[in-house]
């Protein structure tokens, strides 16, 4: 940090944030690569705009709060009013503090009786965490409609990249030119949503995985939210992110404060991989990051193996095969509680069903632990089926607008966790099970969007979101070591806010390896692979009816927190030994897979996806070449392998822990059995792949020679 009287510079790992406080309002002068020893007044002169005709007679500098009173004509950071007054505040800095890595700035408008607290902290990874809060200093309530965190972008930010999707197809990239106007992504389904972007990126023209500059904002929030990129008619551009508040949701009583969700701002001059690397390093540096606690265990989830057919004998057989192939954690999914024999009843009654578990869960859990595995259990605590004891006793404990009952979704209503009784009910029942049994892991689902998210008629998405964070934190503090998987019909609640409270995301309900190649590629934009559940599904995918070889499914599932979701009691001996070999390979290499830099190659042929993980010291890497469609030419284009030490010599070979990928050729390329080459040659000449059948993949192992 360099702090001249009115300039604050926060720097880390090739990222610099320069804040100018000289005008009395905070102005971000720069967010990007380091500028060297430039003095504040020089930077001010370089960036203060000319005064155009037909404009106000002072240089127009919106500052962080983008107030209208600064003659700024774009979207302000704060919107609200106090009985139709105080809607156009103009904030002045009243105090600020700065250390090497962070600064806090307090702004005030005495007329509007509002205080803003701003905080910027730069992490060793270069990620800047921005906090923003508004306090009502007046004697009347202040109705806050929006408080968005904004960061300026240079004019050369020419394209936006964000991610959308749906159930079974999350995080699909969409790219578009940045033009005058706003590009707004909103999530209005009460949870993060399958179509939520996780981060929104702005990039220089043509930026790719390895090249170009990228600026991104990600919200630490699992409720409704908004991401925007706005370019004014003056040509200047900024990006913003914040909670999407319902009308009347945030009325601040005198003295009350609204804390906006933290925004994680990342900049990269090494393309999208550089951006992902910063987000991953930031999350990995947290002491509670799952890989710091222990290696990610091979997980078997029983959902696609048995669905609602819970039966001790059948599941015991699955336990035995799971242990045989090297599974380390066995997760019992939906169907063990209340009247939950299908998805029409039982949610809300978190008590083991006598009907399907006459001796309780004890015998199954004993079998799992005796086989050396951990036990995990599924919950969907924010939901209730109308056909449940809970709903019959407390129909009023659902989020709803008085006088009407929202339509069900998957036959269920949303439990109003902001109701003390409902919160205590769920906490109490889950806690009782975790206290009774050795359950070290829970998968927590959220299978429907919110329709009328109201508590006593008032909007309650904010409070409901905070309640689930509180509940997770409480369960973890009562049960040290407990891990939580966040699921919402697959990847409907993947976000940086939940990353602070959960340990793993169920990336998608699609276990189809072809879909997963894409879904995982982009889910890793900000979430590190060790937090993304990646399972080997059945030979024929239940969600797409596509059939894939075990080698393709296994190569795809290797790059994440790996597991199996398949009735492996039906497997052949050959399949079991492949699964065992794959699990052993994962265990031997998970340290690299879960700590290295994620590399996604800008491959010349759209018929293939190339990606991998490179150790930070560049001593080793594992890559995947996935032939996602039939190549157009006889010979598939070489897979370039960037990111290794150009001067170092590496031993490179194909590995086949789950069997040979079928190919259509007379002979393999000769490198597959082993070649010694340099990092430079791998990055510039690459490796000519075998002529694989479509929807097949090979793994490439690279170690120092
Ligand atoms: C959701 C999840 C699945 C499974 C089912 C159980 O769809 O995404 O993985 O847990 O619920 O009902």
């Amino acid at each position: 940090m360099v702090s001249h009287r009115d300039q604050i510079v926060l720097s880390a790992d090739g990222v610099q944030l320069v804040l100018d406080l000289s005008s009395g309002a905070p102005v971000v002068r720069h967010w990007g690569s380091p500028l060297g020893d430039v003095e504040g007044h020089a930077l001010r002169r370089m960036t203060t705009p000319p005064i155009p005709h037909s404009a106000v007679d002072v240089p127009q500098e919106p500052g962080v709060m983008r107030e209208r009173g600064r003659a700024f004509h774009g979207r302000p950071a704060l919107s609200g009013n106090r009985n139709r007054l105080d809607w156009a505040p103009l904030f002045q800095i009243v105090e600020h503090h700065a250390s090497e890595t962070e600064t806090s700035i307090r702004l005030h408008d005495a007329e509007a009786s509002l205080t803003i607290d701003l905080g910027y902290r730069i992490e060793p990874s270069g990620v800047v965490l921005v906090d923003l809060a508004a306090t009502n200093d007046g004697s009347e309530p202040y109705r806050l409609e929006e408080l968005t965190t904004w960061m300026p972008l240079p004019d050369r930010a020419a394209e936006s990249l964000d991610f959308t999707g749906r159930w079974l197809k999350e995080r699909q990239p969409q790219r578009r030119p940045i033009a005058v106007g706003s590009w707004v992504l909103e999530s209005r389904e009460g949870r993060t949503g399958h179509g939520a972007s996780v981060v929104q990126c702005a990039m220089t023209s043509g930026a790719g995985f390895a090249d170009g500059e990228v600026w991104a904002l990600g919200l630490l929030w699992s409720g409704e939210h908004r991401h925007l990129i706005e370019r004014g008619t003056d040509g200047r551009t900024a990006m913003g992110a914040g909670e999407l508040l319902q009308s009347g949701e945030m009325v601040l009583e005198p003295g009350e404060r609204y804390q906006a969700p933290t925004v994680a701002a990342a900049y990269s001059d090494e393309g999208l991989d550089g951006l992902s690397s910063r987000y991953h390093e930031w999350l990995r540096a947290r002491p509670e990051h799952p890989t710091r606690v222990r290696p990610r265990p091979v997980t078997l989830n029983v959902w696609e193996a048995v669905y609602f057919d819970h039966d001790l004998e059948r599941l015991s057989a699955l336990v035995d095969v799971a242990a045989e192939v090297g599974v380390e954690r066995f997760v019992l999914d939906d169907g063990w509680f209340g009247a939950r024999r299908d998805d029409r009843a039982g949610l809300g009654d978190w008590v083991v069903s006598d009907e399907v578990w006459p001796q309780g869960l004890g015998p199954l859990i004993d079998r799992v632990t005796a086989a050396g595995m951990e036990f995990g259990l599924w919950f969907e605590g924010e939901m209730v089926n109308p056909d449940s004891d809970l709903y019959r006793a407390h129909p009023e404990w659902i989020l709803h607008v008085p006088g009407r009952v929202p339509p069900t979704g998957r036959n269920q209503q949303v439990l109003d966790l902001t109701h003390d009784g409902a919160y205590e009910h769920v906490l109490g029942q889950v806690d009782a099970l975790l206290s009774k049994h050795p359950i070290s892991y829970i998968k927590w689902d959220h299978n429907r969007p919110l329709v009328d998210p109201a508590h006593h008629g008032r909007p309650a998405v904010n409070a409901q979101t905070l309640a689930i964070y509180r509940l997770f934190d409480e369960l973890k503090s009562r049960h040290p070591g407990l891990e939580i998987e966040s699921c919402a019909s697959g990847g409907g609640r993947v976000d940086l806010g939940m990353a602070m409270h959960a340990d793993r995301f169920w990336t998608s309900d699609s276990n189809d390896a072809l879909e997963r190649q894409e879904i995982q590629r982009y889910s890793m934009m900000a979430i590190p692979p060790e937090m993304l559940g990646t399972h080997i599904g059945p030979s024929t995918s239940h969600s797409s009816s596509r059939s894939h070889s075990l080698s393709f499914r296994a190569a795809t599932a290797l790059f994440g927190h790996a597991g199996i979701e398949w009735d492996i009691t039906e497997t052949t001996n050959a399949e079991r030994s492949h699964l065992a070999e794959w699990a052993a390979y994962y265990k031997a290499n998970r340290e690299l897979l879960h700590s290295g830099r994620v590399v996604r190659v800008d491959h010349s042929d759209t018929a293939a996806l190339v990606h991998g993980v490179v150790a930070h010291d560049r001593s080793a890497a594992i890559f995947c070449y996935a032939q996602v469609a039939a190549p157009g030419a006889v010979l598939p284009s070489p897979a370039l392998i960037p990111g290794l030490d150009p001067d170092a010599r590496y031993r490179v070979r194909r590995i086949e822990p789950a069997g040979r990928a079928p190919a259509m050729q007379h002979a393999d390329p000769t490198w597959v059995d082993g070649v010694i080459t340099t990092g430079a040659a791998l990055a510039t000449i690459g490796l000519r792949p075998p002529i694989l059948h479509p929807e097949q993949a090979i793994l490439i192992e690279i170690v120092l020679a």
Side-chain angles (χ1 to χ4, degrees):
M1 196 273 312
V2 183
S3 181
H4 303 297
R5 213 183 44 228
D6 24 321
Q7 178 176 267
I8 293 168
V9 182
L10 303 178
S11 310
D13 196 28
V15 178
Q16 199 168 63
L17 179 79
V18 182
L19 282 153
D20 179 1
L21 310 184
S22 64
S23 66
V27 177
V28 175
R29 290 272 170 217
H30 175 66
W31 171 38
S33 46
L35 300 177
D37 192 14
V38 189
E39 289 182 14
H41 65 88
L43 210 53
R44 210 170 304 134
R45 283 174 174 239
M46 290 170 73
T47 54
T48 303
I51 300 172
H53 283 304
S54 187
V56 295
D57 295 335
V58 288
Q60 189 260 304
E61 298 260 48
V64 169
M65 295 308 293
R66 300 161 58 97
E67 303 98 315
R68 198 181 174 117
R70 257 170 240 294
F72 176 65
H73 303 298
R75 189 179 184 116
L78 178 143
S79 296
N81 69 84
R82 193 183 282 107
N83 216 356
R84 295 197 286 163
L85 301 174
D86 305 326
W87 61 279
L90 188 62
F91 294 103
Q92 297 295 325
I93 297 170
V94 287
E95 58 178 282
H96 75 273
H97 303 279
S99 73
E100 279 295 310
T101 53
E102 59 190 297
T103 181
S104 58
I105 305 166
R106 173 159 288 185
L107 315 176
H108 188 60
D109 178 338
E111 276 302 311
S113 298
L114 288 170
T115 295
I116 295 292
D117 284 301
L118 258 175
Y120 297 87
R121 184 166 93 235
I122 195 157
E123 295 283 307
S125 56
V127 169
V128 179
L129 298 177
V130 189
D131 283 306
L132 180 59
T135 305
N136 176 11
D137 302 319
S139 51
E140 297 292 324
Y142 191 85
R143 186 182 159 132
L144 183 69
E145 279 149 15
E146 179 179 334
L147 187 60
T148 297
T149 298
W150 287 90
M151 292 288 265
L153 295 169
D155 291 10
R156 65 183 181 278
E159 290 181 63
S160 70
L161 171 69
D162 48 69
F163 307 92
T164 179
R166 61 161 170 89
W167 182 56
L168 303 177
K169 206 170 178 72
E170 295 87 342
R171 324 275 156 250
Q172 300 303 301
Q174 48 179 13
R175 215 171 158 138
R176 71 199 296 271
I178 295 174
V180 172
S182 298
W183 177 235
V184 184
L185 308 168
E186 290 189 341
S187 167
R188 290 180 181 269
E189 52 177 88
R191 60 178 177 182
T192 320
H194 290 90
S197 194
V198 185
V199 291
Q200 185 184 35
C201 307
M203 313 180 291
T204 47
S205 184
F209 286 112
D211 304 300
E213 287 180 283
V214 189
W215 296 260
L217 299 186
L219 267 175
L220 278 64
W221 192 238
S222 312
E224 304 200 352
H225 60 272
R226 186 186 285 118
H227 279 279
L228 338 72
I229 294 177
E230 186 177 87
R231 173 163 290 175
T233 51
D234 63 1
R236 287 191 293 185
T237 312
M239 69 195 310
E243 182 178 5
L244 193 158
L245 295 166
Q246 306 301 310
S247 182
E249 181 161 22
M250 201 51 65
V251 178
L252 300 177
E253 297 300 327
E256 212 180 339
R257 170 184 159 111
Y258 166 74
Q259 181 74 52
T262 300
V263 169
Y267 164 76
S268 160
D269 58 2
E270 295 176 349
L272 294 162
D273 284 351
L275 185 87
S276 297
S277 171
R278 292 202 188 280
Y279 279 120
H280 296 175
E281 292 317 306
W282 160 55
L283 290 169
R284 286 171 174 169
R286 300 169 305 143
E288 70 278 18
H289 189 68
T291 43
R292 288 184 157 233
V293 181
R294 45 168 299 197
R296 303 291 75 217
V298 179
T299 299
L300 181 134
N301 180 296
V302 308
W303 179 240
E304 292 202 4
V306 303
Y307 292 104
F308 288 105
D309 183 14
H310 283 209
D311 171 73
L312 178 59
E313 212 176 308
R314 184 168 179 199
L315 284 160
S316 299
L318 195 53
V319 170
D320 295 347
V321 184
E324 182 192 325
V325 302
V327 168
E328 298 167 297
R329 176 182 281 158
F330 186 95
V331 182
L332 185 66
D333 210 277
D334 196 356
W336 56 267
F337 52 91
R340 188 75 170 170
R341 302 296 77 79
D342 54 36
D343 68 8
R344 289 190 289 268
L347 290 177
D349 301 335
W350 305 105
V351 175
V352 179
S353 158
D354 293 339
E355 194 186 332
V356 279
W357 296 102
Q359 305 165 67
L361 291 178
L364 179 70
I365 298 180
D366 289 348
R367 187 138 182 164
V368 168
T369 50
M373 295 183 284
E374 289 177 33
F375 185 77
L377 194 59
W378 183 93
F379 292 91
E380 194 180 0
E382 292 145 286
M383 299 291 159
V384 59
N385 284 117
D387 185 358
S388 65
D389 293 342
L390 178 64
Y391 191 82
R392 280 182 283 275
H394 290 288
E396 76 285 10
W397 281 358
I398 59 165
L399 289 171
H400 70 291
V401 165
R404 60 182 200 239
V405 176
T408 52
R410 207 192 184 202
N411 312 304
Q412 62 204 49
Q413 293 289 356
V414 185
L415 194 65
D416 178 357
L417 286 186
T418 74
H419 234 296
D420 289 347
Y423 180 91
E424 290 303 328
H425 167 84
V426 178
L427 176 64
Q429 288 197 331
V430 178
D431 181 49
L433 276 154
L434 300 187
S435 304
K436 180 165 177 202
H437 296 292
I439 300 173
S440 54
Y441 183 80
I442 59 177
K443 173 179 173 185
W444 191 281
D445 227 317
H446 186 296
N447 280 320
R448 60 156 294 170
L450 277 53
V451 172
D452 277 334
H455 173 82
H456 293 315
R458 291 189 170 158
V461 179
N462 174 279
Q464 178 84 353
T465 308
L466 294 175
I468 192 62
Y469 289 164
R470 200 165 70 243
L471 191 109
F472 282 179
D473 296 349
E474 181 63 29
L475 286 171
K476 285 186 164 197
S477 91
R478 289 190 192 182
H479 302 279
L482 177 72
E483 288 185 24
I484 300 179
E485 173 176 30
S486 165
C487 176
S489 303
R493 192 152 66 179
V494 177
D495 64 80
L496 294 171
M498 193 48 84
M500 301 296 137
H501 304 274
D503 306 276
R504 183 197 217 234
F505 294 103
W506 183 226
T507 314
S508 175
D509 271 352
S510 173
N511 287 313
D512 171 327
L514 183 64
E515 298 292 342
R516 277 294 188 129
Q517 280 287 334
E518 287 257 342
I519 294 169
Q520 292 169 199
R521 191 177 184 84
Y522 296 106
S523 294
M524 286 176 200
M525 195 54 65
I527 309 287
E530 62 272 23
M531 294 188 81
L532 296 168
T534 53
H535 293 176
I536 297 178
S539 314
T540 299
S541 164
H542 293 186
S543 57
S544 68
S545 295
R546 282 196 195 109
S547 296
H548 288 127
S549 66
L550 179 53
S551 63
F552 183 40
R553 281 137 64 214
T556 304
L558 187 73
F559 294 88
H561 179 182
I564 300 169
E565 190 156 339
W566 175 22
D567 185 359
I568 51 174
T569 60
E570 290 178 352
T571 47
T572 62
N573 286 340
E575 285 172 326
R576 279 184 207 184
S577 64
H578 282 322
L579 281 175
E581 219 181 300
W582 168 82
Y585 189 81
Y586 166 78
K587 289 176 197 174
N589 291 282
R590 60 187 157 195
E591 154 101 59
L592 162 62
L593 290 165
H594 296 166
S595 68
R597 180 180 168 108
V598 169
V599 174
R600 291 151 297 195
V601 180
D602 296 301
H603 189 57
S604 55
D605 181 0
T606 53
L609 290 173
V610 185
H611 65 93
V613 178
V614 178
H616 276 289
D617 63 3
R618 299 189 290 182
S619 62
I622 302 173
F623 272 79
C624 175
Y625 173 86
Q627 192 71 59
V628 292
V634 173
L635 299 177
S637 299
L640 304 185
I641 311 276
L644 291 151
D645 178 350
D647 300 324
R649 287 164 64 75
Y650 294 94
R651 187 182 305 278
V652 179
R653 63 180 183 124
R654 174 178 65 189
I655 44 155
E656 310 172 293
R660 171 79 36 103
M664 196 69 173
Q665 56 187 6
H666 256 307
D668 265 322
T670 47
W671 68 263
V672 299
D673 298 323
V675 65
I676 291 181
T677 185
T678 60
L682 284 167
T684 50
I685 296 175
L687 300 166
R688 178 77 76 181
I691 307 170
L692 297 175
H693 286 179
E695 303 178 20
Q696 299 292 348
I698 56 164
L699 294 168
I700 303 162
E701 188 181 76
I702 302 165
V703 293
L704 277 177

